[in-house]
């Protein structure tokens, strides 16, 4: 006799033998009625689910958001009131690599947060950069195609990337950050996070404020060079998982200072830039960051697949007191993520434990595959429609956002018209010291190897618009690394390599 649990079928019946297939005689063949064999093989075939279409490789942990500052005059959100403490989940990721990609690759890092507030889940799905490559959602799938594999070669294509970027000058700001030191953080703990988009806060008086969220690492903002990253990948492809998981196991709990920048609706009408343009930051000088609290990660997942791979973040998840903004990219994301989850995880992805709100949930959605709500999520079997006179759940008017005045004629407005794509990257370039600039040039040179000359020249012309030194530095790096020269005779520039 043993006190170990009895192995059962998924239907709960004891399994008599988990070692030997049921056969006709010791030499076989196998009997079709060995259902457990069929069950084991069938389950194994279904162990993988589609990886995320972007941000497939990730690392996550649980923790707490604690509010120490006072922004109650801007927002009624309970999780942002002084003293509030909210359990949360963070998932960090690279954008382009697949599920098995190496962690220490140069790429933007995802910084996705889910706050389990008493008023529902609030997801802030940002990056480790305050801006993005494109400002119109029409361009997101095209951009991502250039980051993923070429359909014929099945390899990533530097030509596609730089072709797209050189034809999309709004990408210059993010490309400069990606190619700077910040493009390769040492670990997830050593990077900042940014909500990136402009969101809104609103208070009980119905006043709205525009807001940017910032998460400043307290572990040191530290980065690796390309060469250091390559050395690490030569030893381990899981460096971020080792650092984050291992650190938390050892009781080293990483922390981020949480800040907001706030802009009034009147100020938003007066800025020299569009405050809803995702390729722009709000200058700190004009909109100083305000400290509002601390985010700490202090618990690893018990099961990576269940809690990190199945985590479903969505910018559509907001709570009363927090809202979206007119940013076109954000509005597209409000649709895209929940749609991705229904495809990748299933209709009832919100009922997977890691995605479940930690407050009562009542809605009138019905049925569907994998429904584990007990059939009806109103808690009342007669309340399966609304309005009703059977005491079913009712709306809460106090959760209604204040009205936002919008105007303008419907049309497709050229997002490049009159847009200054150079000043903010220039402000950034001017922040870099000579060594940082040298690494920027070298990183771009390395990333441009093999790109046809006409694309290289188009990109260099943009760098020149930022700063003459930027163009000259990248051109010199291309010459040194690849023997690049402009073919002036044929007037068709070529890249040697
Ligand atoms: P400030 O001089 O007031 O702000 C400079 C900010 O730039 C810093 O606080 C830091 O942001 C960030 N920064 C410093 N060094 C680097 C670096 N090597 N790589 C990337 N970012 C760096 O000027 P502005 O607010 O006018 O910003 C100037 C430029 O700085 C912007 O054009 C933008 O490219 C960049 N930046 C600005 C941010 C903002 O919210 N205003 C945020 C991040 C970058 P942090 O404290 O967030 O690390
Ligand atoms: C993941 C779409 C822009 C940050 C994803 C996913 C989709 C998507 C479909 C996969 C979701 C999943 O399967 O779980 C889009 C679209 C965008 C956009 C349509 C623009 C129109 C952005 C921007 C940011 C961002 C601007 C950051 C500021 C992330 C992060 C993840 C992600 C962090 C991974 C979330 C996780 O850890 O599960 N995006 N995205 N995306 N995106 Fe975006």
């Amino acid at each position: 006799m043993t006190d170990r649990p009895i192995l059962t079928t998924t239907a709960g019946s004891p399994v008599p033998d988990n070692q030997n297939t049921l056969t006709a005689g010791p030499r076989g063949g196998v009997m079709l009625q060995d259902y457990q064999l069929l069950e084991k093989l069938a389950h194994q075939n279904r162990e993988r689910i589609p990886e995320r279409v972007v941000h497939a490789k990730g690392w996550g942990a649980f923790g707490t958001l604690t509010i120490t500052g006072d922004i109650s005059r801007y927002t009624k959100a309970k999780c942002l009131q002084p003293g509030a403490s909210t359990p949360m989940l963070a998932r960090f990721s690279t954008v382009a690599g697949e599920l098995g990609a190496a962690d220490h690759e140069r790429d933007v890092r995802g910084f996705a947060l889910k706050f389990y507030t008493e008023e529902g889940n609030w997801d802030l799905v940002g990056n480790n950069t305050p801006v993005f490559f494109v400002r119109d959602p029409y361009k997101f799938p095209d951009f991502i195609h250039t980051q993923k594999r070429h359909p014929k070669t099945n390899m990533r294509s530097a030509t596609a990337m730089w072709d797209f970027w050189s034809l999309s000058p709004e990408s210059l700001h993010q490309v400069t950050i990606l190619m700077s030191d910040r493009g390769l953080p040492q670990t997830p703990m050593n990077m900042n996070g940014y909500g990136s988009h402009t969101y809104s806060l609103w208070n009980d008086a119905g006043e709205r404020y525009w807001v940017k969220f910032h998460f400043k690492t307290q572990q040191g903002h530290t980065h690796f060079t390309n060469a250091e990253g390559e050395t690490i990948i030569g030893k381990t492809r899981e460096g971020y998982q080792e650092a984050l998981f291992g650190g938390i196991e050892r009781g080293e709990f990483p922390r981020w200072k949480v800040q907001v920048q706030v802009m009034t609706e009147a100020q938003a009408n007066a800025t020299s830039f569009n405050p809803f343009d995702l390729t722009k930051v709000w200058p700190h000088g004009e909109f100083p960051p305000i400290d509002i609290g601390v985010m700490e990660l202090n618990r690893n997942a018990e099961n990576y697949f269940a809690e990190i791979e199945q985590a479903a973040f969505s910018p559509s998840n907001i709570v009363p007191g927090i809202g979206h903004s007119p940013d076109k990219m954000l509005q597209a994301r409000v649709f895209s993520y929940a749609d991705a989850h229904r495809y990748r995880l299933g209709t009832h992805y919100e009922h997977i434990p890691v995605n479940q709100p930690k407050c009562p949930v009542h809605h009138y959605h019905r049925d569907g595959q994998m429904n584990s709500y007990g059939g009806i999520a109103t808690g009342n079997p007669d309340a399966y429609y609304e309005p009703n006179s059977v005491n079913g759940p009712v709306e809460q008017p106090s959760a209604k956002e204040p009205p936002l005045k919008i105007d303008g004629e419907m049309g497709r407005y050229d997002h490049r018209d009159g847009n200054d794509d150079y000043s903010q990257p220039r402000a950034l370039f001017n922040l870099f010291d000579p060594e940082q600039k040298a690494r920027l040039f070298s990183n771009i040179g390395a990333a441009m190897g093999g790109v046809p000359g006409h694309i290289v020249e188009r990109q260099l012309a943009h760098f020149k618009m930022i700063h003459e030194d930027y163009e000259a530095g990248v051109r010199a790096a291309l010459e040194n690394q690849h023997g690049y020269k402009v073919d002036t005779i044929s007037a068709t520039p070529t890249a040697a390599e």
Side-chain angles (χ1 to χ4, degrees):
M1 283 300 286
T2 169
D3 55 5
R4 289 170 60 171
I6 299 298
L7 177 68
T8 68
T9 66
T10 50
S13 169
V15 171
D17 184 343
N18 196 33
Q19 321 303 326
N20 304 297
T21 301
L22 187 67
T23 52
R27 292 188 174 192
V30 172
M31 307 305 292
L32 185 61
Q33 65 262 43
D34 190 350
Y35 180 69
Q36 267 316 105
L37 173 65
L38 307 184
E39 175 93 355
K40 284 181 85 159
L41 297 178
H43 261 274
Q44 184 184 34
N45 288 350
R46 289 159 180 78
E47 281 178 7
R48 304 288 169 267
I49 61 174
E51 64 177 38
R52 290 168 177 80
V53 65
V54 283
H55 294 263
K57 181 75 188 281
W59 323 274
F62 295 89
T64 315
L65 170 71
T66 307
I67 300 300
T68 52
D70 186 354
I71 52 167
S72 56
R73 64 190 178 284
Y74 301 125
T75 181
K76 64 184 275 179
K78 289 191 178 156
C79 63
L80 294 179
Q81 299 308 309
S85 174
T86 306
M88 45 113 13
L89 164 68
R91 180 178 180 270
F92 311 110
S93 49
T94 43
V95 179
E98 292 93 358
L99 205 49
D103 294 350
H104 280 93
E105 287 179 353
R106 178 170 298 278
D107 198 352
V108 170
R109 264 64 181 167
F111 202 100
L113 309 173
K114 184 183 287 295
F115 301 104
Y116 301 97
T117 90
E118 59 183 276
E119 300 173 292
N121 287 352
W122 169 38
D123 293 357
L124 194 59
V125 197
N127 279 333
N128 71 329
T129 62
V131 294
F132 197 67
F133 296 94
V134 294
R135 65 165 76 91
D136 190 298
Y138 256 56
K139 292 293 96 194
F140 183 78
D142 293 298
F143 163 62
I144 292 301
H145 289 164
T146 72
Q147 298 295 303
K148 294 283 188 174
R149 292 168 190 271
H150 187 287
K152 182 170 181 183
T153 66
N154 199 32
M155 291 184 279
R156 293 186 66 188
S157 166
T159 298
M161 289 180 210
W162 290 101
D163 192 24
F164 181 88
W165 283 337
S166 65
L167 291 167
S168 312
E170 67 271 22
S171 63
L172 280 166
H173 201 176
Q174 179 80 319
V175 167
T176 302
I177 296 175
L178 172 62
M179 296 297 162
S180 78
D181 290 351
R182 292 194 181 191
L184 183 38
Q186 287 195 352
T187 75
M189 295 85 86
N190 298 113
M191 63 190 194
N192 289 346
Y194 301 89
S196 307
H197 296 279
T198 296
Y199 288 87
S200 52
L201 297 178
W202 51 278
N203 60 23
D204 270 323
E207 296 157 334
R208 174 187 284 102
Y209 298 85
W210 304 117
V211 64
K212 295 261 196 201
F213 292 96
H214 302 258
F215 297 80
K216 300 290 174 62
T217 172
Q218 301 301 289
Q219 287 65 244
H221 205 179
T222 53
H223 309 93
F224 284 129
T225 62
N226 277 357
E228 288 168 331
E230 282 161 20
T231 306
I232 293 171
I233 291 171
K235 292 183 187 146
T236 175
R237 299 170 62 79
E238 318 299 338
Y240 273 36
Q241 180 69 7
E242 289 163 10
L244 179 64
F245 184 88
I248 291 177
E249 287 296 289
R250 291 191 297 275
E252 298 157 15
F253 300 150
R255 291 181 147 219
W256 285 261
K257 185 161 73 177
V258 187
Q259 298 178 322
V260 290
Q261 286 176 290
V262 179
M263 189 186 278
T264 63
E265 292 193 68
Q267 283 174 314
N269 294 326
T271 46
S272 60
F273 57 93
N274 173 2
F276 309 113
D277 175 350
L278 184 56
T279 67
K280 304 284 192 297
V281 296
W282 295 358
H284 286 163
E286 287 175 65
F287 301 97
I290 306 167
D291 290 352
I292 64 163
V294 176
M295 181 179 92
E296 179 187 271
L297 299 182
N298 47 34
R299 180 166 67 84
N300 279 319
E302 285 303 315
N303 182 292
Y304 180 90
F305 178 84
E307 295 172 280
I308 307 299
E309 188 58 20
Q310 292 198 113
F313 299 88
S314 175
S316 54
N317 287 341
I318 48 167
V319 293
I322 302 174
H324 298 115
S325 80
D327 182 337
K328 301 170 197 176
M329 292 283 287
L330 177 57
Q331 292 182 337
R333 296 180 69 203
V334 166
F335 158 74
S336 178
Y337 288 67
D339 181 59
H341 305 327
R342 283 187 280 266
Y343 163 68
R344 196 175 74 89
L345 301 169
T347 313
H348 291 287
Y349 67 91
E350 289 132 326
H351 208 58
I352 297 170
V354 71
N355 300 322
Q356 269 176 29
K358 308 261 182 278
C359 63
V361 175
H362 299 120
H363 58 72
Y364 289 91
H365 298 312
R366 276 197 58 180
D367 305 345
Q369 275 191 334
M370 304 292 287
N371 184 322
S372 51
Y373 291 106
I376 197 86
T378 60
N380 174 348
D382 294 324
Y384 57 95
Y385 55 91
E386 208 274 344
N388 61 57
S389 36
V390 293
N391 290 326
V394 290
E395 62 213 16
Q396 190 178 33
S398 63
K400 196 182 289 178
E401 263 193 65
L404 174 67
K405 185 171 168 21
I406 51 173
D407 52 24
E409 290 169 15
M410 186 172 82
R412 297 183 184 276
Y413 293 89
D414 184 346
H415 64 82
R416 298 204 178 104
D417 238 10
N419 224 314
D420 173 2
D421 292 319
Y422 303 100
S423 294
Q424 290 206 354
R426 186 177 306 122
L428 178 61
F429 183 75
N430 287 334
L431 279 176
F432 296 156
D433 64 28
E435 287 76 28
Q436 287 175 309
K437 284 181 183 158
R439 287 192 293 272
L440 171 76
F441 304 148
S442 159
N443 292 337
I444 293 178
M448 273 193 161
V451 175
H454 66 283
I455 294 176
V456 170
E457 290 300 322
R458 198 197 288 143
Q459 186 67 40
L460 285 170
H462 288 306
F463 290 147
K464 194 167 191 171
M465 296 280 287
I466 296 176
H467 201 293
E468 291 204 344
D469 294 353
Y470 197 162
E471 190 255 4
V474 175
R475 188 178 289 282
L478 286 164
E479 284 168 6
N480 291 339
Q481 294 175 13
H482 311 294
Y484 175 79
K485 59 179 171 19
V486 184
D487 180 350
T488 47
I489 297 169
S490 69
T492 310
T494 55
E497 210 185 70

